[in-house]
Amino acid sequence: MSAAARTQLRVGRLTKAHGLKGALKLELYTDDPERRFVPGAEFSLQVPADSPWHGKHLKLRELRWYNGHPVGFFEGVDDRTAAESLVKAILWVDHVDQEAPEPDAWYDHQLVGLTVLRDGEKVGEITHVDHLPAQDLLIVKTRSGEVMVPFVSEIVPEVDLDAGTVIVTPPAGLFEELPEADDAAAETDERND
């Protein structure tokens, strides 16, 4: 039996201390906090090399929600001082590639490096994914710079991991300048004078 390939996934960031008992507010980078943030879940920490937490792990005791914001309680973090020493830490988990995938759901590491095609022509390559409250953005490196592509099915109708491609059907102006729009606006202004 072969061992499953392992990858680390970024699932959250500790944003600030909450209260006096060591709780920390979290910024979640996962669509499935109920699975990733269960009591006993263990996280690798991404912190500066001079941090007392460098090279250590955190184990979750409990995740609570206050005013719609997730707050974590971790083993060994028992007061506000300890919590403040963890602010800005990034939380990572081990991911086994054999985990059941969700339909039309991809991890950042699967998308980064994919070729972006528009009308069969290469327009760029995905360099990273930004997770915003309203939607995710694919950051595409093109010859003329970076383009932020909303990761919605109307604009990104197809992701083919096997082929290493993403098909985009962007609105006019997303990947190129529209000088005609500026000319038309100038003509309208002249007519109104």
Side-chain angles (χ1 to χ4, degrees):
M1 184 174 169
S2 65
R6 290 197 170 273
T7 305
Q8 286 233 306
L9 299 176
R10 181 180 69 162
V11 294
R13 184 172 69 92
L14 303 174
T15 60
K16 67 186 226 178
H18 178 82
L20 301 174
K21 297 184 179 180
L24 286 141
K25 286 190 176 182
L26 287 148
E27 178 182 357
L28 299 179
Y29 300 142
T30 176
D31 292 335
D32 197 359
E34 292 80 20
R35 186 174 104 201
R36 299 286 184 203
F37 288 89
V38 295
E42 192 167 312
F43 304 95
S44 300
L45 295 171
Q46 179 182 337
V47 294
D50 61 352
S51 167
W53 295 97
H54 187 263
K56 296 186 180 177
H57 291 78
L58 278 183
K59 189 176 276 191
L60 184 70
R61 282 195 318 238
E62 183 180 3
L63 181 70
R64 295 182 191 167
W65 293 83
Y66 293 97
N67 297 324
H69 297 285
V71 175
F73 295 81
F74 299 91
E75 291 181 10
V77 184
D78 300 317
D79 59 33
R80 188 172 185 91
T81 303
E84 287 174 347
S85 70
L86 280 162
V87 169
K88 296 185 182 177
I90 307 280
L91 302 177
W92 295 81
V93 295
D94 286 332
H95 167 71
V96 179
D97 283 344
Q98 292 177 345
E99 287 182 10
E102 297 174 39
D104 292 331
W106 299 274
Y107 292 107
D108 292 6
H109 73 274
Q110 294 174 303
L111 297 169
V112 171
L114 295 182
T115 298
V116 179
L117 301 175
R118 176 186 187 186
D119 299 326
E121 298 292 323
K122 179 179 178 176
V123 293
E125 182 177 297
I126 298 172
T127 59
H128 64 281
V129 181
D130 280 346
H131 302 279
L132 304 177
Q135 68 196 11
D136 294 336
L137 293 175
L138 300 177
I139 309 305
V140 178
K141 182 180 179 183
T142 68
R143 280 183 249 141
S144 57
E146 285 188 341
V147 175
M148 295 182 286
V149 178
F151 196 18
V152 295
S153 60
E154 294 80 17
I155 298 174
V156 185
E158 184 180 332
V159 175
D160 188 339
L161 297 179
D162 293 331
T165 60
V166 172
I167 306 295
V168 295
T169 56
L174 188 60
F175 281 94
E176 66 281 326
E177 293 292 323
L178 292 177
E180 301 84 34
D182 294 336
D183 294 342
E187 288 176 20
T188 302
D189 290 340
E190 287 175 11
R191 283 189 219 137
N192 292 334
D193 286 340

